[in-house]
Amino acid sequence: MSAPSGPDTRSAGAVGLLLPAALAEAVGGQRLLVLPQRPVSGADIGANPEADAAGSITVAVALDRLREQQPGVYSRICDETGAVRRYVNLYLDGEDIRDLAGQSTVLASGAQLLVLQSIAGG
Amino acid sequence: MDDVPSNLPFNAGSAESSPGPSGASGSSPWLSSTVLAIGTRKGLWLATSSDRVTWELRGPEFAMTEVPSLAFDARSGTPRLLAGVRSEWWGPNVAVSEDLGHTWQEPQEQAIAFPEDTGATLERIWQLRPDTADRPGVVWAGCEPISVFRSEDGGRHFELVRGLWDHPHRPQWGAGYGGPAAHTVLPSPVDDSVHVAISSGGVYRSDDRGDSWDAFNSGIIANFMPQEYPEFGQCVHKVARDAGNPQRLYAQNHGGVYRSDDAGDRWISIADGLPADFGFVMLAHPSRPDTIWTIPLGSAGERNPPQGRPAVYRSTSAGEDWERFDTGLPAYDFNAVLRDAADVDTADPAGIYFGTRGGEVYASADEGETFNLVAANLPDVLCVRAVRT
């Protein structure tokens, strides 16, 4: 899937969320949601040594920002415990975050997180 | 919490291809009509009829979304339709329609969500139940995992009923085949009591609007447990309240059909006269005392119409005797009718409705004596609800 046109997350120093069409409908058809960069606190990066103060955040922090910015989209991606729903997959550079460090996976400034629904269903 | 027009992924509906409430003729086809909402494993259909014999069907709304619970809330005039919807991808929510299912609104965040301290995740909304007319904003929800929620704003936002969630029996409640759920909520029309039916936990009653709860299963067998008559743990499938006596309840169980004349203090069997005591459905007439319907299935090991011959059974004597009715039903059908896939309307004579796991929906305009086909070849029917408009 190629990145749709939209705000440049790299120049903005933020991270982006690429939405599937079903979720993009909730935000006026916008496929790329930019989650603005904020000062990164120790609480944001937790104990993960790969995160740094130069703009990297964890997936968990990105999802928290999504909850603030687009609660309707967030509640479809994550349940009320904060877990990514069973049949929703988040990819970073082609890798499912479940195969990386889950929500502790570090997103460098400018990274884009691809949201896809799984093929589950009958 | 803001409501938003339902452009969220649940609603990939067919409103554009459907006639609007004003219809092509310019007159309202909804005048003096019956609307039947049909929730299935993959979407919602709506059928409309002026005579409850011939039906016009439209749908699906909520494509690829399960609709396990529906409720018409007619307490304030124009009926509002509430739908407990559940996407395998995007989770559950409550959608509300103010125009009989033509357009929908959903809260941005889940209308029903477990508080953070519970660590629980809402799986499915099994029951949506508007309270009585003197409590106009109150709507109850029975959910999976086993829990009850209550809304004070007409169903837009619900709060967990802590008294039941914190009940000491909860760790010992089991799961029915369909999942662990509080699938029935019955608020009393005359006092502060509320009954809840749990699969598999049994019947519980609160006398203080949900603050505290006790098990009321005396006389109900649980032949799948080592102790046949435990205090709780029974697998009750549906409970209905008598129209004339609010203390009189009827229960269809996982083996056993019962009546209580004292709000659940003691249950007695009313299964004599039925071909089987297994089934999911229990309906009570909306205004005539002692009149109830059930749809038996063969047994716990044979969850189909007995011998493949579907029939509706009616009692006008509070279960003392039963009449069989099958006119208009297939001679041969091996599809079950689930607990909320049946309803009774408020007309006189009352209409009876039910849908099967084979995707057929039937309606009776004469209190269950004869049936007409409303729809066929739908996905598994999970719930039906009727309203007169």
Side-chain angles (χ1 to χ4, degrees):
Chain A
M1 176 177 176
S2 61
S5 60
D8 183 349
T9 54
R10 295 183 187 282
S11 62
V15 298
L17 209 60
L18 288 168
L19 300 177
L23 286 183
E25 289 178 24
V27 287
Q30 185 182 345
R31 297 294 293 273
L32 177 60
L33 277 182
V34 177
L35 304 173
Q37 187 187 33
R38 293 190 315 214
V40 178
S41 68
D44 276 349
I45 59 176
N48 193 320
E50 292 185 68
D52 59 43
S56 298
I57 58 174
T58 61
V59 169
V61 172
L63 291 173
D64 274 347
R65 292 181 182 173
L66 175 66
R67 179 164 53 183
E68 295 168 7
Q69 188 173 322
Q70 294 289 349
V73 175
Y74 172 84
S75 68
R76 271 109 188 130
I77 294 175
C78 296
D79 66 28
E80 59 264 60
T81 68
V84 176
R85 294 190 182 280
R86 186 187 333 169
Y87 296 122
V88 177
N89 301 325
L90 303 182
Y91 292 93
L92 175 64
D93 295 330
E95 295 278 345
D96 189 328
I97 65 160
R98 294 186 180 95
D99 298 328
L100 300 172
Q103 290 199 33
S104 298
T105 302
V106 173
L107 302 171
S109 177
Q112 292 190 344
L113 203 52
L114 176 62
V115 183
L116 288 177
Q117 63 226 73
S118 76
I119 57 172
Chain B
M1 182 180 301
D2 295 332
D3 279 353
V4 295
S6 188
N7 55 358
L8 286 165
F10 289 134
N11 194 26
S14 59
E16 289 180 4
S17 60
S18 304
S22 57
S25 67
S27 63
S28 172
W30 307 111
L31 192 63
S32 300
S33 65
T34 300
V35 177
L36 182 64
I38 305 162
T40 78
R41 190 168 291 285
K42 291 182 184 174
L44 168 71
W45 278 260
L46 291 123
T48 307
S49 175
S50 58
D51 59 7
R52 298 184 295 175
V53 175
T54 58
W55 295 84
E56 181 180 346
L57 188 69
R58 62 186 167 91
E61 304 282 338
F62 306 109
M64 270 303 285
T65 297
E66 182 184 284
V67 184
S69 52
L70 291 163
F72 282 108
D73 185 352
R75 291 174 293 177
S76 58
T78 304
R80 302 168 67 242
L81 177 54
L82 287 72
V85 295
R86 175 181 175 272
S87 163
E88 286 283 356
W89 296 306
W90 316 118
N93 207 350
V94 178
V96 179
S97 175
E98 307 284 352
D99 57 7
L100 296 172
H102 286 277
T103 59
W104 294 87
Q105 295 202 326
E106 297 169 38
Q108 286 262 6
E109 297 178 75
Q110 285 182 195
I112 301 174
F114 280 94
E116 187 174 352
D117 67 283
T118 65
T121 302
L122 181 69
E123 183 67 27
R124 182 180 281 111
I125 303 159
W126 284 65
Q127 174 98 132
L128 290 167
R129 176 77 184 210
D131 207 317
T132 51
D134 59 336
R135 302 184 183 101
V138 176
V139 178
W140 298 81
C143 296
E144 176 186 348
I146 295 167
S147 57
V148 169
F149 289 72
R150 183 174 54 218
S151 168
E152 305 282 347
D153 63 1
R156 292 178 175 80
H157 173 72
F158 291 75
E159 295 287 342
L160 177 66
V161 174
R162 288 278 186 176
L164 189 65
W165 181 257
D166 293 335
H167 198 286
H169 291 172
R170 187 168 68 83
Q172 298 172 70
W173 292 337
Y177 183 69
H183 51 68
T184 301
V185 186
L186 276 181
S188 169
V190 295
D191 57 32
D192 285 342
S193 68
V194 185
H195 287 81
V196 166
I198 296 168
S199 290
S200 51
V203 176
Y204 282 72
R205 188 180 83 206
S206 169
D207 291 326
D208 52 16
R209 305 300 293 169
D211 289 343
S212 59
W213 297 82
D214 289 302
F216 285 88
N217 299 291
S218 179
I220 297 181
I221 196 167
N223 56 14
F224 49 88
M225 296 178 73
Q227 183 184 355
E228 284 196 327
Y229 289 93
E231 178 189 6
F232 63 94
Q234 285 83 347
C235 188
V236 56
H237 282 174
K238 183 53 70 177
V239 178
R241 188 186 303 277
D242 187 79
N245 178 2
Q247 304 302 307
R248 175 168 281 181
L249 303 172
Y250 307 95
Q252 171 66 64
N253 270 49
H254 181 111
V257 187
Y258 296 93
R259 186 183 79 223
S260 172
D261 294 328
D262 45 21
D265 286 351
R266 177 75 188 168
W267 296 87
I268 59 171
S269 175
I270 55 171
D272 282 354
L274 293 170
D277 66 0
F278 190 93
F280 290 99
V281 171
M282 179 57 74
L283 298 173
H285 195 286
S287 57
R288 187 180 312 132
D290 301 339
T291 300
I292 53 176
W293 294 262
T294 188
I295 303 176
L297 302 177
S299 66
E302 184 194 345
R303 301 180 191 191
N304 303 303
Q307 293 82 49
R309 297 175 58 218
V312 172
Y313 282 74
R314 183 181 70 191
S315 174
T316 56
S317 56
E320 294 300 317
D321 46 45
W322 296 89
E323 293 176 275
R324 173 190 172 94
F325 298 107
D326 59 10
T327 301
L329 301 180
Y332 182 83
D333 193 336
F334 274 86
N335 287 288
V337 179
L338 298 178
R339 74 191 81 235
D340 277 300
D343 197 21
V344 53
D345 69 22
T346 56
D348 185 13
I352 301 295
Y353 309 89
F354 72 87
T356 73
R357 296 200 70 169
E360 292 188 331
V361 181
Y362 294 92
S364 167
D366 55 11
E367 307 214 335
E369 297 185 11
T370 62
F371 285 87
N372 292 285
L373 186 67
V374 176
N377 304 317
L378 301 183
D380 316 40
V381 178
L382 305 180
C383 61
V384 300
R385 288 293 182 270
V387 70
R388 297 279 285 176
T389 61

